[in-house]
Amino acid sequence: MRIIFISLCFLTACNSIKPPKPFGPIPTRQQLAWQQLEYYAFVHFNMNTFTGVEWGDGREHPGKFNPTQFDAEQWVRIFKAAGMKGVIITAKHHDGFCLWPSGYTEHSVKKSPWRNGNGDVLRELSEAATKYGLKFGIYLSPWDRNAPEYGDSQRYNELYMNQIREVLTQYGEVFEFWFDGANGEGPNGKKQVYDWPAFHATVRKYAPNAVMFSDGGPDVRWIGNEAGYAGETNWSLLRGSEVYAGYPKYTELIEGHADGTHWIPGEVDVSIRPGWYYRSSEDEKVKSVEKLRQIYYESIGRNANLLLNIPVDTRGLVHPNDSTALMGLRVQLDQDFRENLATRAAVIGNSQKGRRFSAQKVLDHNFQSYWTTKNEAKTGWLELTFNNPTEINTVLIQEYIALGQRVERFSVAAEIEGKWKTIITGTTIGYKRILKFPTTKTTKLKISIEQSRACPLISTIQFFKTK
Ligand code: FUL
């Protein structure tokens, strides 16, 4: 009885401290879950794999699609071992060839020799993903150079929405739907006018838990380049009603819009090879582990998710050069983040909003709990003290973004010979910010939030010594 009474008191006391109010646009439940996936695979595998081009014209004979050793489980095992959390497949690229037996075209696997025309890449891949606990996502190009309806806007839009329904209702849960902005003319010489609101409504109807990607979201935005990096300043915000698929000022997407009206976080899509599709001539051009590591730090480490493309080869398998690079990156990252040295330190804040939002919350390995300042102060600092001089060269910081992105400027200082020395400064933090700096040996570190739009909510602080 007494124990219950005491713990009830404790709970009431704790709960009487209310969390700060949300600030500005905030993520939906789906966007928040998506952000925490961080790293997943893109697979460009389709007709172009067999014709050796990046963009087919839609006149390819379906008979050309003929992987000799297709094994979706092999892909998924490799992605899983690489630490990826999902896979997005090019169900239909601009040439219109469908990797599933669509009822709305003859240009698909059903007219190919693969599995005697009875194959379905989406079925095999989605089953493999489920078996290994990976999320499954779909790229479905609206541009279709095969469909005779293309350019006859209403007819084609209906066909496209029927295909959206097909791919979203037969293969289990889909975590991300990837809209490409490419838009051309149809055989009638007319430009196809896409009905984006209707496309979005169709995805929402059949996959309410999925996020939708395009240049302008509505849920996840392109980062504005295919080279593998986000801006050092990166807001998960956009002026949502201005940006659309095919937005000409796409270079703005690298930082988002500081004055954005909608929560639309960035995703970095980049290929592990020069092209999106497999070509044997690029077998020796797979990105190095060092390059992939840089991409990781400049995407996930800059408040974006990383969608890394692995071009599956003509056998229907991930090529050994790609899997070797993926494993090399995994080993490197496991080494980089092996020991969070911050857990060896004691932490205090200049102020804190009671025990529920104490400085210690940044060390508890729980994204849901966070430190914030007393009286909603917009600036504040945390000090970490080590028992022994400790060498560090990397910091990882996370904001509790469920209540909005707030921090505009921060710094990390080390006490060296009795004086504070700034070792690194940054602008935005967002879901995750990772910064490297020259190795510094110290017993005291200070993380200062120097400018924030509302009281900072810091969920995580970690320090590492990487090689
Ligand atoms: C682009 C496409 O045109 C490329 O072929 C590739 O699929 C890339 C991911 O998106 O818009």
Side-chain angles (χ1 to χ4, degrees), residues 193-259:
V193 181
Y194 297 133
D195 187 348
W196 287 110
F199 295 173
H200 293 167
T202 307
V203 174
R204 286 273 189 262
K205 178 171 172 192
Y206 296 112
N209 291 324
V211 290
M212 283 181 253
F213 167 101
S214 84
D215 294 359
D219 304 318
V220 174
R221 73 170 198 272
W222 185 39
I223 208 67
N225 70 76
E226 292 175 341
Y229 62 96
E232 288 194 61
T233 297
N234 183 13
W235 292 99
S236 291
L237 305 174
L238 274 193
R239 296 188 295 273
S241 46
E242 268 177 41
V243 187
Y244 52 89
Y247 185 61
K249 294 193 278 173
Y250 60 83
T251 50
E252 294 172 5
L253 302 177
I254 193 166
E255 294 193 348
H257 290 150
D259 60 352

Side-chain angles (χ1 to χ4, degrees), residues 45 66 90 188 190 273 280 300 332 334 341 422 428 432:
F45 174 71
N66 195 16
T90 48
N188 61 0
K190 286 199 187 145
R273 291 170 175 241
S280 56
I300 294 170
Q332 181 67 57
D334 286 347
L341 297 164
T422 301
T428 53
K432 191 173 270 189

Side-chain angles (χ1 to χ4, degrees), residues 98 100-106 108 110 159 162-163 166 170:
C98 296
W100 80 102
S102 172
Y104 297 89
T105 179
E106 294 302 299
S108 83
K110 71 185 173 199
L159 180 150
N162 276 318
Q163 291 188 327
E166 286 185 322
Q170 301 180 70

Side-chain angles (χ1 to χ4, degrees), residues 42 44 54-55 90 93-94 139 178 180-182 226 269 276-277:
F42 212 179
H44 275 67
E54 284 289 318
W55 284 9
T90 48
H93 204 252
H94 309 329
Y139 168 116
W178 219 91
D180 192 291
E226 292 175 341
D269 63 320
W276 290 104
Y277 281 95

Side-chain angles (χ1 to χ4, degrees), residues 16 18 39 97 227 302 354 365:
S16 65
K18 294 248 166 11
Y39 180 36
F97 188 81
R302 292 183 180 174
H365 292 278

